[in-house]
Amino acid sequence: MSAVVWTAVVSLVAWCWLLLGQGFFWRTDVRLPPRRDPGQWPSVCIVVPARDEAAVLPASLPSLLAQDYPGRAEVFLVDDGSSDGTGELARELSRRHGGLPLTVGSPGEPPAGWTGKLWAVRHGIDLARAREPAYLLLTDADIAHAPDSLRELVAAARTGGFDVVSQMARLRVESLWERLVVPAFVYFFAQLYPFRRIGRKGSRTAAAAGGCVLLRADMAERARIPDAIRHAVIDDVALARAVKGAGGHVWLGLAERVDSVRPYPRLRDLWRMVSRSAYAQLRHNPLLLFGTVAGLALVYLVPPAAVLTGAVNGSAATAVTGAAAWAVMAGTYVPMLRYYGQPLWLAPLLPFTAFLYLLMTVDSAMQHYRGRGAAWKGRTYARPDAVPDEG
């Protein structure tokens, strides 16, 4: 067989392994685990870091204030140096909608060694400690929760004995680029961190979704959250690793009624979302970057290239092998498209989307070496040593 056929065969084998051996990452049935109402509902403090979020707060904050929770609950919104009136808008929304008590705090500029978001989270947790909560709900300012979201999270944590219960919020998919890129973003995340493995005791796979993380307060103390991860750009994965490292039990799954209201109407908006942290995910390691690019090319780009090459050269073996790998790829993407309510004809376009992600990852590395680095709400962290670990 020619080198082209062999490459297509390797890609097909890789897809067969991903289909069966990567924790069934492509399935979308990992939802909140079985749960029952506790005899006594524990107290919860909800911490919301917010920097220039006035555009999304009207669609998200009222959903937190309106939580139908039988126990004591309170919201702490941390206005992290906003220039658009985020803090005052939050107070106005609280006055208008009522519901859970709201405290708006401001932490000042983060000191050396801290990312801005985690410094805001730390300030919120410090404010919450005065209430001595049993749980902390860490949620982003663009996340809208169904009225029973908090009670369902707490019931799941209590029933399953979880220290962290996290849900991957359903992202917005309305524009053309959102339809092409967003479901694939969650699909790729699940491929890296299979949800079934995360929830399994003894498994080393650890991840959470930063938009919705219910964390036991005593575990936050034991794992030194957020101090232990203060330099992390990808803070949700770092949080889950810290909790597992402290002996905690983590659960992550897809949300049903927890939604992001932040729009990404243009490709450049999505590009910025992915590229700001893609190279950080690879630990700023050039070898991991090379391996990732090669892996993306082999797994996602070789199948359609083999089909085209086989058709042009009249090689049935090349075309059939490539088509088989492409079919398995598309088949594993179908459940995610259904979860997002998207047309199934998008499934064969996954190689194109993967190519975009490949370019975003390379661009992330280029930004890093140009000194621009990862960013969150106007703050840039060019290199790991730009956010030093000051034990």
Side-chain angles (χ1 to χ4, degrees), residues 38-388:
Q40 183 175 359
W41 290 91
S43 62
V44 182
C45 286
I46 303 170
V47 176
V48 186
R51 180 175 169 87
D52 293 334
E53 297 287 16
V56 297
L57 274 187
S60 61
L61 184 58
S63 74
L64 288 174
L65 300 174
Q67 284 301 297
D68 178 20
Y69 185 67
R72 180 166 57 88
E74 187 171 349
V75 180
F76 293 85
L77 185 138
V78 183
D79 180 11
D80 182 19
S82 299
S83 60
D84 64 352
T86 289
E88 185 51 44
L89 175 60
R91 295 184 183 95
E92 172 58 28
L93 289 170
S94 178
R95 289 191 291 266
R96 188 188 313 164
H97 293 276
L100 299 183
L102 172 72
T103 298
V104 177
S106 180
E109 283 298 308
W114 285 83
T115 64
K117 179 181 177 182
L118 286 171
W119 180 241
V121 169
R122 185 183 194 274
H123 184 72
I125 292 177
D126 286 345
L127 291 174
R129 282 200 179 103
R131 308 300 196 268
E132 298 183 344
Y135 287 91
L136 299 163
L137 175 60
L138 311 180
T139 184
D140 289 342
D142 65 325
I143 303 298
H145 293 254
D148 62 350
S149 174
L150 181 57
R151 66 183 297 160
E152 293 292 288
L153 287 165
V154 170
R158 300 287 276 197
T159 303
F162 297 107
D163 298 288
V164 168
V165 173
S166 179
Q167 288 186 292
M168 177 74 71
R170 198 188 303 256
L171 305 177
R172 201 186 87 142
V173 282
E174 295 182 13
S175 71
L176 172 62
W177 288 112
E178 286 171 340
R179 293 172 187 272
L180 280 171
V181 175
V182 165
F185 176 82
V186 182
Y187 172 89
F188 293 143
F189 186 92
Q191 192 176 85
L192 286 173
Y193 306 103
F195 296 162
R196 281 177 171 76
R197 291 183 181 172
I198 292 169
R200 189 184 307 151
K201 280 191 174 181
S203 169
R204 299 179 62 184
T205 305
C212 178
V213 178
L214 183 75
L215 171 65
R216 266 183 48 202
D218 58 352
M219 177 53 71
E221 293 276 358
R222 191 191 316 170
R224 298 178 54 245
I225 302 296
D227 296 58
I229 60 170
R230 59 189 177 273
H231 59 281
V233 175
I234 309 175
D235 52 272
D236 43 14
V237 174
L239 181 149
R241 286 174 176 163
V243 169
K244 280 207 170 186
H249 193 188
V250 177
W251 183 92
L252 171 64
L254 294 172
E256 294 177 319
R257 287 171 296 167
V258 177
D259 302 288
S260 172
V261 298
R262 191 183 305 282
Y264 294 96
R266 299 163 299 184
L267 176 60
R268 70 178 181 179
D269 301 317
L270 291 158
W271 194 290
R272 190 180 305 118
M273 177 189 75
V274 175
S275 65
R276 76 178 183 89
S277 60
Y279 198 41
Q281 180 70 54
L282 300 177
R283 305 171 191 172
H284 304 99
N285 187 318
L287 291 178
L288 287 178
L289 174 66
F290 176 80
T292 298
V293 170
L296 284 170
L298 175 67
V299 173
Y300 290 98
L301 305 185
V302 164
V307 171
L308 180 61
T309 301
V312 170
N313 296 339
S315 172
T318 303
V320 168
T321 306
W326 198 353
V328 176
M329 179 200 314
T332 63
Y333 193 37
V334 164
M336 189 61 69
L337 290 174
R338 285 179 172 160
Y339 169 73
Y340 271 99
Q342 297 305 300
L344 300 188
W345 58 261
L346 288 171
L349 299 183
L350 187 55
F352 171 73
T353 305
F355 181 62
L356 289 178
Y357 274 89
L358 185 155
L359 295 179
M360 293 173 192
T361 302
V362 172
D363 181 52
S364 180
M366 291 175 65
Q367 290 182 43
H368 172 76
Y369 290 113
R370 289 172 181 165
R372 293 168 61 189
W376 186 80
K377 292 291 179 180
R379 295 190 179 104
T380 301
Y381 310 102
R383 298 176 183 273
D385 55 4
V387 195

